[in-house]
């Protein structure tokens, strides 16, 4: 495979190369890549902004993460935060730190994924910063979105009596990670053994190529449902439920048998002899939406198979609890991924 | 000195700690830290955005960079890009990658600088991402600003005949870096030798604690001068002049004896036996503004001692040239810092 050294292009040559095919899709993108800053016109709308830093060896492992998928996911995880505000993403900016172990072809693969995500979600890449790193690949993404005045949805506004809902199914990304980490260990011990990921494409796809839930935000708008609170589930369901409870000063009850668990995830969890419920509660990186709605809105979402009502909000004093399949009640504890403690 | 391990707080405890004293200053900052995304109201204005990634060992050396200064500078270099669009910065977001070599006290020092810059320039910290890194300190800053509709100034709109202007003085940051690198080498060889930076506080300050030229943008507005093009000088004057010439499809002539050079920089350059003109042309990190104005506006800026007219724009075919003090003419070459080639 061809290998073009990045140093042969220089910083500006590299930026030109990586951005030459950009076509802006949003009328609000007045000025994109190529100046000190991008310019965005959001007359009559409010601007929503989020940023994420992804570091090789902490957030991703290039041993089993194709660069194209990494580019796609880097964008998607930020768009997910914009959707979680009930807003529509419109632009992104990307900062990259690259060590000289990466070639131009490798970067092109990464950007292929970035542009695929931009196309899939209708967002414009409008700026960024490309520099070198001494070690590893560093990705900083900022996403910008818009929302009609005061229609954004925070996480501190859930009300007692609201229904607690979650999109999609949970735990898949975590189990996908277990498979990939297992194969990595095996490969290191015996490089000639072929990876055995047969039948696990669903959970591995959940980890490597997540999607942001544009469809859910669109459905809520079409159904005239305004969630009372919303956030995305990046650190695990239980951790995010505790966030909403603490920030909104409410408690909650959720039901184990209402948790959305896919057959694929359940089977995969059993191979590792772990409890699918634990994966759904504490596995991270699912990028689903967690939100609350008034009970009166229940009829509107009952037909959407992508939304599960998993419980309801209570007085703060009652705490956050889960009722197990056996009928016993336990306090929910945060066991989401904690990157700082993981070191 | 007290040392609190970051792991004792956890990610969310750390975020709470670092953001507990934020008071939003801009009416447009509707929602700040603490949700999936920040929300900004820019009714009737256009939003300007920029992002920068700073990596330890590439962009800064903690051996001689106090963390408070680093926090201040990380903000300022992004605000400089907003001012370079003729816009007013209003918000920032900060993503940090931190290895476990850093304590909470170290991070607090960094944020002290961040908040000092926010206060000095009237911007709000509205969000971010805090994560771990395997090695080194990684800083990603996104700055957001606003500008009256279509009043932003690009770098591709300079016209033949325009005057080329630069703010402040040039080359200081580069010479400051030479001093600090020299002292670092000496310290490594003989740790008992005291650093000899006497009298060099100006050039060292230019490197470690630069300011963004809010005053120049304010002056241009008060004087009713709209630059025809503008950018900030982060990579060195000659490199940025070539940017404006290429993007605007013009040439230029500049005069060596018009380059703004401070006495402190000149003396310091002589200690290293290097040419102050070369430092002014090719030293980076000065964060001054480079802009073009129509000749008719000359009278308006002649009294501002912080602005130097260094030349004028010509036909593209004439190229970009410098007339030396001796009267000879040379093509300007880009010798700005190139982080990718430096590896």
């Amino acid at each position: 495979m061809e290998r073009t050294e990045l140093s042969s292009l220089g910083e500006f040559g590299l930026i030109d190369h990586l951005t030459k095919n950009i076509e802006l899709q949003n009328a609000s993108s007045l000025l994109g890549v190529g100046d000190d800053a991008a310019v965005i016109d959001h007359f009559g709308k409010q601007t929503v902004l989020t940023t994420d830093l992804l570091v090789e060896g902490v957030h991703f492992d290039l041993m089993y993460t194709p660069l194209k998928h990494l580019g796609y996911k880097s964008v998607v995880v930020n768009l997910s935060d914009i959707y979680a505000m009930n807003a529509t993403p419109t632009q992104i900016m990307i900062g990259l730190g690259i060590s000289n172990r990466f070639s131009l072809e490798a970067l092109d693969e990464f950007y292929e994924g970035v542009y695929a995500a931009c196309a899939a979600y209708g967002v414009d890449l409008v700026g960024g910063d490309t520099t070198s790193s001494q070690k590893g690949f560093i990705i900083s993404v900022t996403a910008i979105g818009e929302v009609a005045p005061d229609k954004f949805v925070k996480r501190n506004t859930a009300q007692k009596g609201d229904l607690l809902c979650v999109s999609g199914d949970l735990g898949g990304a975590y189990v996908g990670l277990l498979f990939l980490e297992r194969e990595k260990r095996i490969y290191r011990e015996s490089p000639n053994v072929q990876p055995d990921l047969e039948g696990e494409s669903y959970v591995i796809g959940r980890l490597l190529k997540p999607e942001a839930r544009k469809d859910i935000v669109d459905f809520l708008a079409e159904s005239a449902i305004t969630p009372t609170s919303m956030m995305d589930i990046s650190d695990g369901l239980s951790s995010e439920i505790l966030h909403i409870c603490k920030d909104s000063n409410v408690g909650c009850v959720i039901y184990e048998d209402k948790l959305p668990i896919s057959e694929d995830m359940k089977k995969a969890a059993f191979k590792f002899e772990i409890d699918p419920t634990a994966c759904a509660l504490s596995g991270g990186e699912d990028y689903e939406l967690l939100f609350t709605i008034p009970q009166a809105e229940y009829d509107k979402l009952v037909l959407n198979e992508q939304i599960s009502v998993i419980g309801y909000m209570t007085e703060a004093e009652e705490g956050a609890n889960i009722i197990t399949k056996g009928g016993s009640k336990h306090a929910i504890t945060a066991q989401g991924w904690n990157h700082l403690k993981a070191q």
Side-chain angles (χ1 to χ4, degrees), chain A:
Chain A
M1 189 172 161
E2 209 177 338
R3 181 184 165 91
T4 308
E5 299 300 330
L6 295 179
S7 56
S8 70
L9 282 89
E11 184 180 351
F12 301 115
L14 176 60
I15 293 168
D16 286 346
H17 174 89
L18 295 174
T19 58
K20 65 177 183 281
N21 293 323
I22 294 179
E23 284 180 27
L24 300 178
Q25 305 178 65
N26 287 287
S28 62
S29 305
L30 297 184
L31 180 65
V33 170
D35 218 299
D36 298 283
V39 182
I40 292 173
D41 189 352
H42 278 163
F43 277 19
K45 300 239 178 183
Q46 289 169 349
T47 307
V48 180
L49 287 138
T50 182
T51 190
D52 255 323
L53 189 62
L54 304 172
V55 181
E56 184 180 349
V58 177
H59 301 93
F60 56 89
D61 187 329
L62 288 177
M63 193 160 166
Y64 51 68
T65 309
L67 280 162
K68 186 176 166 181
H69 286 46
L70 183 61
Y72 193 90
K73 181 171 176 174
S74 302
V75 176
V76 162
V77 302
N78 278 277
L79 302 187
S80 180
D81 278 326
I82 300 288
Y83 289 120
M85 302 300 292
N86 204 33
T88 302
T90 44
Q91 287 90 8
I92 58 164
M93 296 195 293
I94 295 198
L96 285 188
I98 319 156
S99 77
N100 54 10
R101 128 177 105 93
F102 291 90
S103 66
L104 181 62
E105 288 74 17
L107 262 196
D108 280 341
E109 268 187 69
F110 176 83
Y111 268 91
E112 226 183 286
V114 166
Y115 289 127
C118 286
Y121 291 91
V123 303
D124 293 323
L125 175 64
V126 293
D129 186 27
T130 305
T131 186
S132 62
S133 81
Q134 287 193 307
K135 183 170 177 265
F137 195 39
I138 304 163
I139 308 162
S140 158
V141 180
T142 298
I144 302 110
E146 57 184 32
V147 65
D150 300 326
K151 292 297 178 197
F152 58 89
V153 175
K154 299 188 290 180
R155 56 177 69 163
N156 66 356
T157 41
Q159 303 292 324
K160 180 192 157 193
D162 285 348
L163 300 175
L164 185 60
C165 309
V166 67
S167 66
D169 56 76
L170 301 174
Y174 175 69
V175 182
L177 179 65
L178 295 182
F179 274 110
L180 292 170
E181 287 285 339
R182 183 191 71 185
E183 293 307 311
K184 178 178 163 180
R185 275 195 307 277
I186 292 171
Y187 174 82
R188 285 204 162 146
E189 285 156 19
S190 328
N192 295 322
V193 176
Q194 286 296 305
D196 175 21
L197 296 168
E198 179 102 8
E200 309 305 346
S201 62
Y202 180 73
V203 294
I204 288 168
R206 291 290 287 170
L207 178 72
L208 296 184
K209 193 170 178 290
E211 298 289 350
R213 297 311 304 248
K214 175 183 194 308
D215 59 327
I216 300 293
V217 172
D218 289 345
F219 169 80
L220 293 172
E222 286 157 18
S223 311
I225 302 172
T226 302
T228 51
S229 71
M230 184 153 64
M231 69 184 294
D232 79 337
I233 306 177
S234 49
D235 288 335
L237 178 65
S238 55
S239 152
E240 315 300 28
I241 286 176
L242 293 176
H243 263 299
I244 286 187
C245 287
K246 183 186 164 214
D247 292 359
S248 299
N249 194 32
V250 291
C252 76
V253 173
I254 68 169
Y255 296 90
E256 183 185 7
D257 62 2
K258 301 289 187 193
L259 296 180
I261 287 175
S262 70
E263 277 306 305
D264 285 327
M265 192 281 272
K266 193 191 286 183
K267 272 189 235 161
F270 287 150
K271 289 189 191 168
F272 285 98
E273 299 180 352
I274 54 175
D275 179 11
T277 297
C279 298
L281 282 173
S282 304
E285 302 241 35
D286 285 320
Y287 300 102
E288 296 295 341
L289 292 174
L290 176 69
F291 56 97
T292 53
I293 59 166
Q295 286 188 27
E297 307 277 31
Y298 176 74
D299 288 347
K300 292 185 186 172
L301 56 73
V302 72
L303 287 177
N304 189 324
E305 289 182 356
Q306 289 295 312
I307 299 176
S308 305
V309 178
I310 61 171
Y312 60 91
M313 312 315 284
T314 64
E315 297 280 2
E317 294 67 38
E318 296 178 43
N321 296 287
I322 182 167
I323 311 286
T324 66
K325 288 173 186 163
S328 58
K329 188 171 166 181
H330 299 278
I332 296 171
T333 56
Q335 301 204 343
W337 289 0
N338 189 324
H339 292 302
L340 287 165
K341 283 189 173 161
Q343 281 238 321

